[in-house]
Amino acid sequence: MLGSMTRPKDPVGPGLAALAGLMADETRAGFLLALLDGRAWTAGELARYAGVAPSTASEHLGKLVTGGLLTEERQGRHRYVRLADARVAQLVEDLAAHVRPHAAERPRTLRESSAGSAMARGRTCYDHLAGRLGIALTDALTGRGLLRQDTGFALTDAGLRWFDTAGISLDRTGRRPLTRACLDWTERRPHLAGTAGAALCRHALDAHWCVRIGSERAVKVTSEGERAFAELLGIEPTTLH
């Protein structure tokens, strides 16, 4: 009978359970969120960030590396870790977007409140820009007919020319999608990710349009950036603060 038949197990099940288990620890989850800044961190830096002992951090990092979520590099006696690739970053950011509205706690100190405001205003999401800054750029690109959102994110022909005119090189030879929508966990709307989002973020930092602030992912727009975004995309400087 159908009810007594044993259904074969989905071969993906054990791997999915193992992946979920890797993220089901608050310290490891904190490491993954910190590494969304796209940079390599030492085990000691992550230990201090999470407020745990170095030995505890090393144990957790070992599990994340073995599980394929992190990669490690060694320079001399220092061990650096970073997210394995953009797909891992997307997974972490997507999960964070689901839990943030329900799990957000009120800041306990003025410093926490200031840091949270800075992150919401503008931040890096692995290798692209997020927060109100990311949304403002995405809206401006869309409003000028450079980016389409009606059938998923896609650059128009005018958009491709805009990147070229702005001096922002797009690598279209890799397997990574040129554009991708990434749900912003503070704005609750998608911002631009993918190769184009990464190229725009990299150029903004290299050209000093944006600078990193603090020890986390927050960025702020400089006066040079205000002028560039106004000239290239018609973004009012007041919307960037």
Side-chain angles (χ1 to χ4, degrees):
M1 295 178 63
L2 183 60
S4 62
M5 294 177 62
T6 301
R7 297 182 62 183
K9 292 183 177 180
D10 191 317
V12 177
L16 181 59
L19 177 63
L22 283 174
M23 296 188 175
D25 177 272
E26 188 172 347
T27 298
R28 291 197 292 274
F31 288 169
L32 293 170
L33 289 169
L35 290 165
L36 275 176
D37 68 356
R39 294 177 288 186
W41 290 48
T42 67
E45 288 170 337
L46 286 169
R48 290 190 293 274
Y49 173 84
V52 298
S55 58
T56 301
S58 293
E59 180 181 351
H60 285 303
L61 291 173
K63 292 179 179 179
L64 291 170
V65 170
T66 300
L69 296 180
L70 302 184
T71 58
E72 63 178 341
E73 307 166 7
R74 291 189 179 274
Q75 292 187 8
R77 61 187 182 87
H78 293 293
R79 175 196 187 193
Y80 292 87
V81 294
R82 65 171 72 245
L83 295 181
D85 52 37
R87 291 185 304 168
V88 173
Q90 178 184 346
L91 175 62
V92 175
E93 184 75 8
D94 286 349
L95 288 173
H98 283 287
V99 303
R100 286 283 179 176
H102 308 290
E105 297 180 356
R106 300 184 67 177
R108 292 168 292 183
T109 65
L110 178 60
R111 181 178 180 181
E112 283 188 2
S113 178
S114 298
S117 296
M119 288 276 282
R121 185 168 53 249
R123 65 184 181 277
T124 54
C125 173
Y126 187 54
D127 60 0
H128 55 272
L129 295 168
R132 292 197 297 274
L133 170 60
I135 294 297
L137 292 170
T138 301
D139 285 349
L141 288 166
T142 303
R144 292 194 161 217
L146 309 177
L147 175 70
R148 294 185 59 181
Q149 297 191 39
D150 52 349
T151 55
F153 275 26
L155 288 179
T156 63
D157 289 341
L160 292 172
R161 290 193 297 271
W162 180 88
F163 272 84
D164 185 57
T165 301
I168 304 175
S169 177
L170 293 178
D171 180 7
R172 304 176 66 181
T173 62
R175 298 177 60 184
R176 188 178 185 185
L178 182 61
T179 60
R180 181 179 67 79
C182 181
L183 181 61
D184 197 293
W185 59 258
T186 53
E187 297 300 302
R188 314 306 302 156
R189 295 174 53 203
H191 56 245
L192 177 64
T195 298
L200 179 56
C201 176
R202 183 171 56 252
H203 187 84
L205 291 171
D206 289 346
H208 204 70
W209 294 351
C210 298
V211 292
R212 297 184 185 273
I213 56 176
S215 59
E216 297 192 30
R217 295 186 281 144
V219 299
K220 69 175 182 179
V221 179
T222 64
S223 56
E224 296 98 314
E226 290 180 354
R227 288 192 294 271
F229 291 140
E231 292 172 3
L232 293 170
L233 291 170
I235 299 176
E236 292 292 334
T238 54
T239 66
L240 302 175
H241 300 285

PDB file of all heavy atoms in Angstrom, residues 62-86:
ATOM      1  N   GLY A  62      37.216  26.783  12.250  1.00  0.00           N
ATOM      2  CA  GLY A  62      37.554  25.503  11.645  1.00  0.00           C
ATOM      3  C   GLY A  62      36.328  24.814  11.071  1.00  0.00           C
ATOM      4  O   GLY A  62      36.371  24.237   9.980  1.00  0.00           O
ATOM      5  N   LYS A  63      35.225  24.876  11.796  1.00  0.00           N
ATOM      6  CA  LYS A  63      33.981  24.263  11.316  1.00  0.00           C
ATOM      7  C   LYS A  63      33.456  24.968  10.075  1.00  0.00           C
ATOM      8  O   LYS A  63      32.980  24.331   9.126  1.00  0.00           O
ATOM      9  CB  LYS A  63      32.928  24.294  12.420  1.00  0.00           C
ATOM     10  CG  LYS A  63      33.253  23.390  13.608  1.00  0.00           C
ATOM     11  CD  LYS A  63      32.177  23.472  14.680  1.00  0.00           C
ATOM     12  CE  LYS A  63      32.510  22.543  15.840  1.00  0.00           C
ATOM     13  NZ  LYS A  63      31.495  22.607  16.922  1.00  0.00           N
ATOM     14  N   LEU A  64      33.544  26.290  10.053  1.00  0.00           N
ATOM     15  CA  LEU A  64      33.053  27.049   8.903  1.00  0.00           C
ATOM     16  C   LEU A  64      33.910  26.821   7.671  1.00  0.00           C
ATOM     17  O   LEU A  64      33.405  26.764   6.549  1.00  0.00           O
ATOM     18  CB  LEU A  64      33.002  28.540   9.251  1.00  0.00           C
ATOM     19  CG  LEU A  64      31.939  28.944  10.283  1.00  0.00           C
ATOM     20  CD1 LEU A  64      32.147  30.396  10.720  1.00  0.00           C
ATOM     21  CD2 LEU A  64      30.535  28.757   9.732  1.00  0.00           C
ATOM     22  N   VAL A  65      35.219  26.673   7.875  1.00  0.00           N
ATOM     23  CA  VAL A  65      36.115  26.387   6.750  1.00  0.00           C
ATOM     24  C   VAL A  65      35.848  24.987   6.225  1.00  0.00           C
ATOM     25  O   VAL A  65      35.714  24.772   5.014  1.00  0.00           O
ATOM     26  CB  VAL A  65      37.589  26.548   7.171  1.00  0.00           C
ATOM     27  CG1 VAL A  65      38.516  26.015   6.082  1.00  0.00           C
ATOM     28  CG2 VAL A  65      37.905  28.012   7.455  1.00  0.00           C
ATOM     29  N   THR A  66      35.758  24.017   7.119  1.00  0.00           N
ATOM     30  CA  THR A  66      35.493  22.634   6.716  1.00  0.00           C
ATOM     31  C   THR A  66      34.150  22.524   5.999  1.00  0.00           C
ATOM     32  O   THR A  66      34.006  21.764   5.039  1.00  0.00           O
ATOM     33  CB  THR A  66      35.493  21.705   7.944  1.00  0.00           C
ATOM     34  OG1 THR A  66      36.773  21.781   8.588  1.00  0.00           O
ATOM     35  CG2 THR A  66      35.219  20.264   7.546  1.00  0.00           C
ATOM     36  N   GLY A  67      33.179  23.312   6.451  1.00  0.00           N
ATOM     37  CA  GLY A  67      31.859  23.276   5.837  1.00  0.00           C
ATOM     38  C   GLY A  67      31.760  24.026   4.525  1.00  0.00           C
ATOM     39  O   GLY A  67      30.695  24.044   3.892  1.00  0.00           O
ATOM     40  N   GLY A  68      32.833  24.681   4.103  1.00  0.00           N
ATOM     41  CA  GLY A  68      32.852  25.343   2.814  1.00  0.00           C
ATOM     42  C   GLY A  68      32.296  26.749   2.800  1.00  0.00           C
ATOM     43  O   GLY A  68      32.165  27.356   1.735  1.00  0.00           O
ATOM     44  N   LEU A  69      31.963  27.305   3.976  1.00  0.00           N
ATOM     45  CA  LEU A  69      31.432  28.663   4.014  1.00  0.00           C
ATOM     46  C   LEU A  69      32.537  29.715   4.044  1.00  0.00           C
ATOM     47  O   LEU A  69      32.323  30.850   3.623  1.00  0.00           O
ATOM     48  CB  LEU A  69      30.516  28.845   5.234  1.00  0.00           C
ATOM     49  CG  LEU A  69      29.245  27.987   5.237  1.00  0.00           C
ATOM     50  CD1 LEU A  69      28.428  28.259   6.491  1.00  0.00           C
ATOM     51  CD2 LEU A  69      28.412  28.266   3.989  1.00  0.00           C
ATOM     52  N   LEU A  70      33.702  29.341   4.544  1.00  0.00           N
ATOM     53  CA  LEU A  70      34.848  30.244   4.597  1.00  0.00           C
ATOM     54  C   LEU A  70      36.044  29.623   3.906  1.00  0.00           C
ATOM     55  O   LEU A  70      36.153  28.402   3.795  1.00  0.00           O
ATOM     56  CB  LEU A  70      35.228  30.559   6.050  1.00  0.00           C
ATOM     57  CG  LEU A  70      34.195  31.197   6.976  1.00  0.00           C
ATOM     58  CD1 LEU A  70      34.834  31.495   8.327  1.00  0.00           C
ATOM     59  CD2 LEU A  70      33.600  32.454   6.370  1.00  0.00           C
ATOM     60  N   THR A  71      36.930  30.468   3.453  1.00  0.00           N
ATOM     61  CA  THR A  71      38.241  30.026   2.984  1.00  0.00           C
ATOM     62  C   THR A  71      39.286  30.696   3.863  1.00  0.00           C
ATOM     63  O   THR A  71      39.026  31.749   4.455  1.00  0.00           O
ATOM     64  CB  THR A  71      38.490  30.418   1.514  1.00  0.00           C
ATOM     65  OG1 THR A  71      38.375  31.845   1.377  1.00  0.00           O
ATOM     66  CG2 THR A  71      37.473  29.753   0.608  1.00  0.00           C
ATOM     67  N   GLU A  72      40.434  30.104   3.967  1.00  0.00           N
ATOM     68  CA  GLU A  72      41.476  30.675   4.812  1.00  0.00           C
ATOM     69  C   GLU A  72      42.760  30.870   4.030  1.00  0.00           C
ATOM     70  O   GLU A  72      43.045  30.152   3.070  1.00  0.00           O
ATOM     71  CB  GLU A  72      41.733  29.801   6.041  1.00  0.00           C
ATOM     72  CG  GLU A  72      42.248  28.414   5.760  1.00  0.00           C
ATOM     73  CD  GLU A  72      42.522  27.647   7.049  1.00  0.00           C
ATOM     74  OE1 GLU A  72      42.661  28.286   8.098  1.00  0.00           O
ATOM     75  OE2 GLU A  72      42.618  26.411   6.987  1.00  0.00           O
ATOM     76  N   GLU A  73      43.499  31.863   4.437  1.00  0.00           N
ATOM     77  CA  GLU A  73      44.799  32.168   3.863  1.00  0.00           C
ATOM     78  C   GLU A  73      45.769  32.377   5.018  1.00  0.00           C
ATOM     79  O   GLU A  73      45.396  32.909   6.060  1.00  0.00           O
ATOM     80  CB  GLU A  73      44.731  33.448   3.014  1.00  0.00           C
ATOM     81  CG  GLU A  73      43.653  33.447   1.957  1.00  0.00           C
ATOM     82  CD  GLU A  73      43.416  34.838   1.382  1.00  0.00           C
ATOM     83  OE1 GLU A  73      44.188  35.755   1.731  1.00  0.00           O
ATOM     84  OE2 GLU A  73      42.460  34.998   0.616  1.00  0.00           O
ATOM     85  N   ARG A  74      46.999  31.988   4.808  1.00  0.00           N
ATOM     86  CA  ARG A  74      48.009  32.178   5.851  1.00  0.00           C
ATOM     87  C   ARG A  74      49.128  33.056   5.321  1.00  0.00           C
ATOM     88  O   ARG A  74      49.638  32.842   4.219  1.00  0.00           O
ATOM     89  CB  ARG A  74      48.564  30.835   6.324  1.00  0.00           C
ATOM     90  CG  ARG A  74      47.558  30.002   7.100  1.00  0.00           C
ATOM     91  CD  ARG A  74      48.190  28.777   7.752  1.00  0.00           C
ATOM     92  NE  ARG A  74      47.216  28.001   8.504  1.00  0.00           N
ATOM     93  CZ  ARG A  74      46.885  28.235   9.769  1.00  0.00           C
ATOM     94  NH1 ARG A  74      47.461  29.232  10.423  1.00  0.00           N
ATOM     95  NH2 ARG A  74      45.993  27.476  10.385  1.00  0.00           N
ATOM     96  N   GLN A  75      49.481  34.067   6.103  1.00  0.00           N
ATOM     97  CA  GLN A  75      50.607  34.933   5.802  1.00  0.00           C
ATOM     98  C   GLN A  75      51.474  34.974   7.046  1.00  0.00           C
ATOM     99  O   GLN A  75      51.109  35.595   8.054  1.00  0.00           O
ATOM    100  CB  GLN A  75      50.131  36.334   5.427  1.00  0.00           C
ATOM    101  CG  GLN A  75      49.392  36.395   4.105  1.00  0.00           C
ATOM    102  CD  GLN A  75      49.087  37.824   3.695  1.00  0.00           C
ATOM    103  OE1 GLN A  75      49.556  38.772   4.326  1.00  0.00           O
ATOM    104  NE2 GLN A  75      48.320  37.994   2.627  1.00  0.00           N
ATOM    105  N   GLY A  76      52.596  34.281   6.957  1.00  0.00           N
ATOM    106  CA  GLY A  76      53.442  34.171   8.139  1.00  0.00           C
ATOM    107  C   GLY A  76      52.717  33.420   9.236  1.00  0.00           C
ATOM    108  O   GLY A  76      52.182  32.335   9.020  1.00  0.00           O
ATOM    109  N   ARG A  77      52.673  34.020  10.410  1.00  0.00           N
ATOM    110  CA  ARG A  77      51.993  33.354  11.522  1.00  0.00           C
ATOM    111  C   ARG A  77      50.524  33.748  11.623  1.00  0.00           C
ATOM    112  O   ARG A  77      49.816  33.285  12.508  1.00  0.00           O
ATOM    113  CB  ARG A  77      52.692  33.703  12.839  1.00  0.00           C
ATOM    114  CG  ARG A  77      52.709  35.180  13.182  1.00  0.00           C
ATOM    115  CD  ARG A  77      53.572  35.442  14.402  1.00  0.00           C
ATOM    116  NE  ARG A  77      53.573  36.855  14.785  1.00  0.00           N
ATOM    117  CZ  ARG A  77      52.669  37.415  15.584  1.00  0.00           C
ATOM    118  NH1 ARG A  77      51.681  36.676  16.071  1.00  0.00           N
ATOM    119  NH2 ARG A  77      52.736  38.685  15.902  1.00  0.00           N
ATOM    120  N   HIS A  78      50.077  34.592  10.708  1.00  0.00           N
ATOM    121  CA  HIS A  78      48.690  35.044  10.755  1.00  0.00           C
ATOM    122  C   HIS A  78      47.803  34.183   9.859  1.00  0.00           C
ATOM    123  O   HIS A  78      48.185  33.815   8.747  1.00  0.00           O
ATOM    124  CB  HIS A  78      48.583  36.510  10.319  1.00  0.00           C
ATOM    125  CG  HIS A  78      49.235  37.466  11.263  1.00  0.00           C
ATOM    126  ND1 HIS A  78      48.764  37.689  12.539  1.00  0.00           N
ATOM    127  CD2 HIS A  78      50.334  38.251  11.125  1.00  0.00           C
ATOM    128  CE1 HIS A  78      49.527  38.577  13.143  1.00  0.00           C
ATOM    129  NE2 HIS A  78      50.496  38.933  12.308  1.00  0.00           N
ATOM    130  N   ARG A  79      46.622  33.919  10.364  1.00  0.00           N
ATOM    131  CA  ARG A  79      45.621  33.163   9.625  1.00  0.00           C
ATOM    132  C   ARG A  79      44.451  34.093   9.321  1.00  0.00           C
ATOM    133  O   ARG A  79      43.849  34.665  10.219  1.00  0.00           O
ATOM    134  CB  ARG A  79      45.140  31.983  10.472  1.00  0.00           C
ATOM    135  CG  ARG A  79      44.003  31.167   9.874  1.00  0.00           C
ATOM    136  CD  ARG A  79      43.369  30.315  10.954  1.00  0.00           C
ATOM    137  NE  ARG A  79      42.373  29.391  10.443  1.00  0.00           N
ATOM    138  CZ  ARG A  79      41.509  28.728  11.206  1.00  0.00           C
ATOM    139  NH1 ARG A  79      41.533  28.889  12.525  1.00  0.00           N
ATOM    140  NH2 ARG A  79      40.633  27.905  10.673  1.00  0.00           N
ATOM    141  N   TYR A  80      44.162  34.248   8.036  1.00  0.00           N
ATOM    142  CA  TYR A  80      43.064  35.103   7.615  1.00  0.00           C
ATOM    143  C   TYR A  80      41.929  34.241   7.066  1.00  0.00           C
ATOM    144  O   TYR A  80      42.170  33.209   6.420  1.00  0.00           O
ATOM    145  CB  TYR A  80      43.513  36.077   6.525  1.00  0.00           C
ATOM    146  CG  TYR A  80      44.496  37.129   6.993  1.00  0.00           C
ATOM    147  CD1 TYR A  80      45.866  36.880   6.999  1.00  0.00           C
ATOM    148  CD2 TYR A  80      44.045  38.368   7.435  1.00  0.00           C
ATOM    149  CE1 TYR A  80      46.769  37.838   7.429  1.00  0.00           C
ATOM    150  CE2 TYR A  80      44.936  39.341   7.861  1.00  0.00           C
ATOM    151  CZ  TYR A  80      46.298  39.068   7.853  1.00  0.00           C
ATOM    152  OH  TYR A  80      47.190  40.020   8.286  1.00  0.00           O
ATOM    153  N   VAL A  81      40.704  34.685   7.297  1.00  0.00           N
ATOM    154  CA  VAL A  81      39.545  33.994   6.744  1.00  0.00           C
ATOM    155  C   VAL A  81      38.651  35.004   6.051  1.00  0.00           C
ATOM    156  O   VAL A  81      38.631  36.185   6.398  1.00  0.00           O
ATOM    157  CB  VAL A  81      38.740  33.248   7.835  1.00  0.00           C
ATOM    158  CG1 VAL A  81      39.542  32.105   8.427  1.00  0.00           C
ATOM    159  CG2 VAL A  81      38.272  34.198   8.931  1.00  0.00           C
ATOM    160  N   ARG A  82      37.923  34.547   5.048  1.00  0.00           N
ATOM    161  CA  ARG A  82      36.950  35.363   4.346  1.00  0.00           C
ATOM    162  C   ARG A  82      35.834  34.443   3.873  1.00  0.00           C
ATOM    163  O   ARG A  82      35.971  33.214   3.875  1.00  0.00           O
ATOM    164  CB  ARG A  82      37.597  36.095   3.175  1.00  0.00           C
ATOM    165  CG  ARG A  82      38.112  35.182   2.084  1.00  0.00           C
ATOM    166  CD  ARG A  82      38.553  35.970   0.844  1.00  0.00           C
ATOM    167  NE  ARG A  82      39.779  36.721   1.035  1.00  0.00           N
ATOM    168  CZ  ARG A  82      39.833  38.048   0.995  1.00  0.00           C
ATOM    169  NH1 ARG A  82      38.743  38.759   0.796  1.00  0.00           N
ATOM    170  NH2 ARG A  82      40.984  38.668   1.147  1.00  0.00           N
ATOM    171  N   LEU A  83      34.705  35.047   3.464  1.00  0.00           N
ATOM    172  CA  LEU A  83      33.625  34.239   2.907  1.00  0.00           C
ATOM    173  C   LEU A  83      34.118  33.527   1.654  1.00  0.00           C
ATOM    174  O   LEU A  83      34.909  34.078   0.880  1.00  0.00           O
ATOM    175  CB  LEU A  83      32.420  35.110   2.569  1.00  0.00           C
ATOM    176  CG  LEU A  83      31.709  35.784   3.757  1.00  0.00           C
ATOM    177  CD1 LEU A  83      30.517  36.599   3.254  1.00  0.00           C
ATOM    178  CD2 LEU A  83      31.246  34.767   4.782  1.00  0.00           C
ATOM    179  N   ALA A  84      33.627  32.312   1.443  1.00  0.00           N
ATOM    180  CA  ALA A  84      34.150  31.493   0.350  1.00  0.00           C
ATOM    181  C   ALA A  84      33.908  32.127  -1.013  1.00  0.00           C
ATOM    182  O   ALA A  84      34.773  32.094  -1.882  1.00  0.00           O
ATOM    183  CB  ALA A  84      33.532  30.099   0.407  1.00  0.00           C
ATOM    184  N   ASP A  85      32.725  32.706  -1.211  1.00  0.00           N
ATOM    185  CA  ASP A  85      32.421  33.323  -2.500  1.00  0.00           C
ATOM    186  C   ASP A  85      31.152  34.150  -2.378  1.00  0.00           C
ATOM    187  O   ASP A  85      30.542  34.250  -1.305  1.00  0.00           O
ATOM    188  CB  ASP A  85      32.279  32.271  -3.618  1.00  0.00           C
ATOM    189  CG  ASP A  85      31.301  31.158  -3.252  1.00  0.00           C
ATOM    190  OD1 ASP A  85      30.278  31.454  -2.587  1.00  0.00           O
ATOM    191  OD2 ASP A  85      31.537  30.002  -3.638  1.00  0.00           O
ATOM    192  N   ALA A  86      30.736  34.727  -3.503  1.00  0.00           N
ATOM    193  CA  ALA A  86      29.558  35.594  -3.511  1.00  0.00           C
ATOM    194  C   ALA A  86      28.287  34.827  -3.192  1.00  0.00           C
ATOM    195  O   ALA A  86      27.330  35.387  -2.651  1.00  0.00           O
ATOM    196  CB  ALA A  86      29.427  36.288  -4.869  1.00  0.00           C
TER     197      ALA A  86
END
